[in-house]
Amino acid sequence: KQEVTQIPAALSVPEGENLVLNCSFTDSAIYNLQWFRQDPGKGLTSLLLIQSSQREQTSGRLNASLDKSSGRSTLYIAASQPGDSATYLCAVFLLNSGYALNFGKGTSLLVTP
Amino acid sequence: DAGVIQSPRHEVTEMGQEVTLRCKPISGHDYLFWYRQTMMRGLELLIYFNNNVPIDDSGMPEDRFSAKMPNASFSTLKIQPSEPRDSAVYFCASSWGTGRGYTFGSGTRLTVV
């Protein structure tokens, strides 16, 4: 079974800092990897989708990288803002394990003014 | 597009009662997924459908849970009888084909007292 681990579990940073969230997975036979954001009491909002053939994806202040060989992905947030405070979830889509995403437990981010 | 629509947003019920959660996927999407989220276990896949057919229900916790997808625009998740340990947030998600990312609904917060 694919294990998806996110470190750290929680992170608090002052506004303006650049930060990196980490995601690791045990099975390198992934089809793609998706980063989500979840606000308290809300659903999941897709941030970035990286196909297995890609090394990174960018959207605004967000940049996600993928290294299949080492089983790692990072989400880089530039110039953090209080509005970035949320839980960030990493999910892996496997090639040979059905069509379901395997989720990490998330990193809870707090950006203080 | 209105996105994936779930109802109700909140449900409080007494132990032993039947609960039905509803989901309308994005038009044109051919995969539909039901997930459950708890603090302890994170996001867990319960069941998923492809073209209205259940493909993998191995995540359904027990026979008290059942899911149907009578047509491409509607799915239900039913719990009968409900128990306090079923209290969680239940998410529905849909996607078009594989590898194109998922879209999640806002979830149904279920409380069984």
Side-chain angles (χ1 to χ4, degrees), chain B residues 45-104:
Chain B
L45 176 69
L46 299 177
I47 185 172
Y48 77 90
F49 296 82
N50 176 222
N51 291 323
N52 314 337
V53 177
I55 302 300
D56 184 353
D57 65 355
S58 60
M60 297 284 262
E62 47 198 274
D63 292 346
R64 298 184 297 108
F65 286 69
S66 63
K68 294 182 179 179
M69 192 166 186
N71 57 60
S73 60
F74 184 66
S75 176
T76 59
L77 178 67
K78 185 177 293 187
I79 308 172
Q80 166 63 21
S82 58
E83 297 182 3
R85 60 192 168 118
D86 302 331
S87 297
V89 181
Y90 291 80
F91 287 103
C92 175
S94 69
S95 70
W96 174 56
T98 58
R100 293 181 175 84
Y102 287 22
T103 301
F104 277 75

Side-chain angles (χ1 to χ4, degrees), chain A residues 38-56:
Chain A
Q38 185 174 29
D39 293 283
K42 304 290 186 181
L44 281 69
T45 300
S46 179
L47 297 174
L48 290 164
L49 173 67
I50 310 177
Q51 301 294 343
S52 62
S53 58
Q54 298 173 320
R55 301 248 341 148
E56 64 179 81

Side-chain angles (χ1 to χ4, degrees), chain A residues 78-99:
Chain A
S80 59
Q81 303 171 359
D84 295 330
S85 299
T87 296
Y88 291 80
L89 293 152
C90 164
V92 172
F93 184 92
L94 294 178
L95 278 171
N96 301 313
S97 184
Y99 294 100

